[in-house]
Amino acid sequence: MGLEDIHIETERLILRRPNASDFDGWADFQADEKTMTYLGGVKSRAESWRDLCCMVGAWHVRGYAMFSLILKDSGQWIGRIGPWYPDGWPGTEVGWGVASEFAGKGYALEAAVASMNYAIDTLGWTDICHTIDPENRASIKLAERVGSTNRGPTRLPEPYQDARVDDWGQSRDQWSENRKQFQ
């Protein structure tokens, strides 16, 4: 499967590789204080451009990275979610971030399930982690909903080495059981 072919559809969402057309949504997402509280803080438009390019580049270097999260009915970009494993990261992560105006509608759960299936079934991962700030109740709730458990504190690489995060996660075998509730 070539990179251009990666396109996952769920009931309400499309998960696809990020591209330049996502930039305005991406920049708005990263400019929102509420959205970015646990995602490294508010970023300028210039920083957002570099972050988008980093994600696009990771697709070419690793063959995967987070997906752009698109509403099927409107085509609107609402977040980024999916596999993430930069150099020095504490594990193979499925991470998530949904713009604050779309939080609480089940989009993150729907996309997390699709992303975890992709990580296990397509990428062949044997473990999935979620690095979560202990104060981020919404993200913890989502991790629990997909069956992940808190495996204790972990450390991110520079420049995030001072961030407090716990390693939530589960093995391939655990996900094989946990995902049955979503089928």
Side-chain angles (χ1 to χ4, degrees), residues 60-137:
H60 291 279
V61 172
R62 291 258 193 226
Y64 62 85
M66 288 193 185
F67 299 103
S68 278
L69 191 54
I70 311 296
L71 290 178
K72 261 189 192 178
D73 62 358
S74 67
Q76 184 173 2
W77 188 97
I78 65 166
R80 74 316 168 264
I81 191 165
W84 186 237
Y85 187 51
D87 185 64
W89 214 249
T92 47
E93 178 164 22
V94 169
W96 43 72
V98 174
S100 60
E101 63 267 31
F102 298 98
K105 300 177 191 241
Y107 296 129
L109 175 62
E110 194 173 320
V113 168
S115 295
M116 291 174 71
N117 285 338
Y118 180 81
I120 295 296
D121 298 339
T122 303
L123 300 178
W125 287 4
T126 58
D127 188 78
I128 294 174
C129 78
H130 322 288
T131 55
I132 302 174
D133 184 300
E135 302 294 317
N136 188 346
R137 290 299 315 148

Side-chain angles (χ1 to χ4, degrees), residues 160-174:
Y160 308 108
Q161 72 276 6
D162 295 330
R164 288 183 50 227
V165 293
D166 289 333
D167 171 12
W168 286 78
Q170 59 189 292
S171 69
R172 167 197 288 275
D173 292 340
Q174 290 168 318

Side-chain angles (χ1 to χ4, degrees), residues 46-61:
E47 290 170 310
S48 294
W49 175 255
R50 289 189 291 279
D51 285 352
L52 173 62
C53 289
C54 174
M55 197 65 67
V56 169
W59 272 97
H60 291 279
V61 172

